[in-house]
Amino acid sequence: MKKQLYLFGLLFSPCFIQAQNVGIGTTAPKAALDIAASNISTPTNRDGLLIPRVNTFPATNPGFEQNGMMIFLTTASGANQPGFYYWDNTAATWKGMEQNKYWSLNGNGSTNPTVNFIGTTDHSDVVFKRANVRAGLLSGINTSFGVNALNPLTTGNYNTAIGYEALLANTAGANNTAMGDNALATGLLLF
């Protein structure tokens, strides 16, 4: 009878369950979900996480509860190339994970200049740097190429400087063109 009362008491007493981290391949998970490799130094070809693979996006869009859900698109679907995508519920669209969107140091193979370019899609300036010093500027009203060329221009307009430190001292001069190493580095025409 004692056993039955004890069991009855356990079944109907309030229980408090604490959420725990889940570990796969580890007994000491460091996050809500911690998946360990079989060997961190020499992993196998199966050490990884396989995201759901689909040939096309679902016919019905996910909702707010799936915000952030990931898939791997296996074949091209319209303008979307194969790769990782996540559902952005605020924008109500599948967004690519920016795979192959960066310029490579070893070249980029075949590119499409309508979608692959260096620059901006708005009216912002493009700045190039070398050793964290401006080495190029493409703006709506000034252009320079060369380390410190047309640097530190502040208010001058319609200037073109090509070469190392060309138009270096120009801060407010306008309508100047300088080509060559140190060209017009100190003498400027102001209009």
Side-chain angles (χ1 to χ4, degrees):
M1 183 73 177
K2 280 186 179 181
K3 283 184 179 180
Q4 291 171 339
L5 286 176
Y6 180 72
L7 183 58
F8 182 78
L10 281 176
L11 289 174
F12 292 101
S13 65
C15 295
F16 297 96
I17 299 172
Q18 181 178 0
Q20 295 182 6
N21 294 339
V22 175
I24 299 175
T26 179
T27 57
K30 307 290 189 279
L33 176 61
D34 186 355
I35 303 172
S38 61
N39 185 319
I40 197 166
S41 300
T42 56
T44 70
N45 64 345
R46 291 182 170 220
D47 282 327
L49 181 66
L50 194 54
I51 300 296
R53 296 159 288 172
V54 297
N55 293 335
T56 187
F57 294 113
T60 303
N61 283 336
F64 72 93
E65 290 179 334
Q66 290 79 34
N67 195 29
M69 179 173 70
M70 270 183 70
I71 61 170
F72 183 84
L73 188 63
T74 59
T75 58
S77 177
N80 298 302
Q81 294 302 308
F84 290 100
Y85 289 83
Y86 69 95
W87 176 250
D88 181 346
N89 194 64
T90 303
T93 188
W94 288 98
K95 289 191 174 179
M97 299 291 284
E98 300 299 323
Q99 68 276 4
N100 303 321
K101 298 279 184 174
Y102 303 101
W103 288 90
S104 170
L105 295 176
N106 299 322
N108 296 294
S110 173
T111 61
N112 178 347
T114 60
V115 294
N116 303 116
F117 58 89
I118 297 174
T120 63
T121 57
D122 58 9
H123 196 62
S124 298
D125 295 350
V126 176
V127 175
F128 298 93
K129 290 189 175 185
R130 184 174 192 273
N132 208 28
V133 175
R134 193 170 78 195
L137 169 68
L138 296 173
S139 77
I141 51 179
N142 292 295
T143 304
S144 70
F145 283 102
V147 175
N148 262 334
L150 205 56
N151 193 18
L153 181 72
T154 54
T155 60
N157 296 325
Y158 310 108
N159 294 293
T160 302
I162 303 200
Y164 175 76
E165 294 189 344
L167 282 169
L168 175 65
N170 187 11
T171 58
N175 300 304
N176 293 292
T177 299
M179 292 184 70
D181 194 23
N182 286 299
L184 291 173
T186 57
L188 302 175
L189 298 172
L190 303 173
F191 294 102

